[in-house]
């Protein structure tokens, strides 16, 4: 699965990527709800072992500069074709605008379609117009209206 382009590699995350992912997620959600390092490591181990879940990373000489999570979900409609969700998309601020996120997202959607998924869905903050342009340029369309319900204590994001 690794894809090498212009000095960076797109690959699946491994246990060794924990610190780099945490640094990227700090840029995604700057005021995230805190969790202990032990809980975060345990959760990351669970993610890596979860069937149908893949965390893609863009790696430049051992430094993670972008990531996204792909979740493939079994489905009883559409001829039992699974569907996919993409979540936690972020490129380090110092590396944006260089095409890294585009290659990473293309790798994730390719993996979904190669797994037989009939669609790939994602949500983006309603006010995040830069992200909307990015996703539309990749071929995503605003063909549906997204809804979410947050558990008490988890702030909404725009």
């Amino acid at each position: 699965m690794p894809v090498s382009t212009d000095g960076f590699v797109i690959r699946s995350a491994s246990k060794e990527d924990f610190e780099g992912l945490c640094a990227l997620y700090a840029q995604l959600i700057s005021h995230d709800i805190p969790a202990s390092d032990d809980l975060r490591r345990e959760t990351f181990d669970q993610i890596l072992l979860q069937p149908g879940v893949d965390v893609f990373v863009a790696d430049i000489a051992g430094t993670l500069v972008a990531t996204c999570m792909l979740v493939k979900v079994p489905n009883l409609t559409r001829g039992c074709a699974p569907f996919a969700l993409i979540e936690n998309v972020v490129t380090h601020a110092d590396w944006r605008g260089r095409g890294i996120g585009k290659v990473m997202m293309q790798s994730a959607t390719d993996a979904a379609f190669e797994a037989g998924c009939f669609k790939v869905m994602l949500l983006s903050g309603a006010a995040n117009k830069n992200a909307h342009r990015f996703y539309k340029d990749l071929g995503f369309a605003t063909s549906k209206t997204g809804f979410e319900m947050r558990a008490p204590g988890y702030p909404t994001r725009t």
Side-chain angles (χ1 to χ4, degrees), residues 37-84:
D37 198 51
D38 287 342
L39 177 58
R40 289 173 12 157
R41 286 182 185 278
E42 179 182 317
T43 301
F44 185 52
D45 289 345
Q46 290 174 0
I47 290 168
L48 293 177
L49 294 173
Q50 186 69 37
V53 175
D54 198 1
V55 178
F56 288 80
V57 295
D59 180 325
I60 297 177
T63 299
L64 300 188
V65 298
T67 186
C68 73
M69 179 184 286
L70 175 69
V71 180
K72 298 170 291 241
V73 182
N75 182 31
L76 284 173
T77 65
R78 306 291 181 170
C80 291
F83 60 89

Side-chain angles (χ1 to χ4, degrees), residues 4-11 17 58-65 95:
S4 183
T5 307
D6 296 329
F8 63 92
V9 174
I10 305 295
R11 60 174 175 78
D17 294 319
D59 180 325
I60 297 177
T63 299
L64 300 188
V65 298
W95 294 93

Side-chain angles (χ1 to χ4, degrees), residues 17 27 71 119 128 133-134 145-146:
D17 294 319
Q27 288 200 1
V71 180
K119 70 178 175 181
N128 193 343
R133 275 191 299 278
F134 174 70
T145 300

